């Protein structure tokens, strides 16, 4: 079973690498501003988890530069996920607020929805 899971994981990574989305190109000042906002985020993930691949592809497609943290191989990140989020389940987005507090968002679709709403919607006065 572990071998089959390993093979499937490699296959997912291979397909992901072969079909990687290009990523939007923004004017540098716009990208820098976006990067400053997304610096408060971290994605806890496993490399070969299909739900994590889904979120990482979304990040790449929209050029959202968000730090990814390996919650499988890195014991510190794994402990932080368990302590902060309450369980070892990935993907999980850690959202830090201005006061240094954090919110832990599970579920790939929820994460993508949050990122779309927070960072990819045009400002109301730009519509
Ligand atoms: N519905 C979830 C599924 C996430 C999921 O099943 N992740 C697996 C790794 S691929 C996991 O963390 N399993 C550990 C667990 O559920 O305790 C999503 O879309 O994010």
């Amino acid at each position: 079973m572990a071998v089959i899971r390993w093979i499937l994981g490699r296959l997912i990574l291979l397909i992901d690498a072969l079909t990687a989305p290009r990523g939007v190109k923004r004017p540098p000042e716009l990208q820098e501003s976006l990067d400053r906002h997304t610096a408060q985020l971290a994605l806890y993930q496993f490399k070969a988890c299909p739900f994590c691949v889904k979120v990482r592809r979304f990040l790449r497609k929209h050029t959202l530069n968000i730090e990814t943290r390996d919650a499988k191989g890195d014991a510190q990140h794994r402990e932080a996920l368990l302590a902060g989020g309450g369980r070892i389940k990935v993907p999980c987005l850690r959202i830090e607020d201005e006061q240094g507090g954090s919110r832990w968002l599970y579920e790939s679709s929820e994460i993508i929805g949050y990122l779309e709403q927070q960072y990819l919607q045009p400002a109301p006065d730009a519509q």
Side-chain angles (χ1 to χ4, degrees):
M1 196 59 191
V3 177
I4 294 174
R5 214 176 306 131
W6 186 86
I7 293 171
L8 278 177
R10 299 304 110 177
L11 205 59
I12 287 168
L13 289 177
L14 177 68
I15 294 169
D16 178 39
L18 292 176
T19 63
R22 234 167 229 255
V24 294
K25 270 218 164 288
R26 301 183 176 89
E29 61 278 9
L30 217 65
Q31 186 63 52
E32 279 161 25
S33 160
L34 189 56
D35 290 349
R36 271 196 302 279
H37 283 95
T38 57
Q40 64 190 342
L41 306 175
L43 183 72
Y44 286 75
Q45 48 111 44
F46 297 166
K47 198 171 158 198
C49 156
F51 304 98
C52 302
V53 170
K54 172 179 146 188
V55 176
R56 290 202 308 265
R57 287 177 72 85
F58 176 85
L59 298 182
R60 210 178 303 145
K61 181 174 172 198
H62 295 283
T63 320
L64 291 173
N65 297 317
I66 293 172
E67 181 190 347
T68 54
R69 296 182 179 167
D70 175 12
K72 186 171 237 155
D74 186 311
Q76 257 183 317
H77 290 328
R78 195 177 174 83
E79 275 167 34
L81 174 62
L82 184 59
R87 61 199 154 132
I88 301 293
K89 187 173 181 191
V90 290
C92 180
L93 185 70
R94 179 178 186 270
I95 307 160
E96 194 177 306
D97 62 35
E98 246 110 87
Q99 290 75 42
S102 54
R103 175 179 161 208
W104 298 75
L105 185 63
Y106 288 95
E107 289 297 320
S108 53
S109 301
E110 296 280 322
I111 293 170
I112 287 173
Y114 172 83
L115 293 171
E116 270 175 342
Q117 198 207 340
Q118 291 290 318
Y119 303 105
L120 302 176
Q121 304 274 331
D125 57 0
Q127 286 178 342

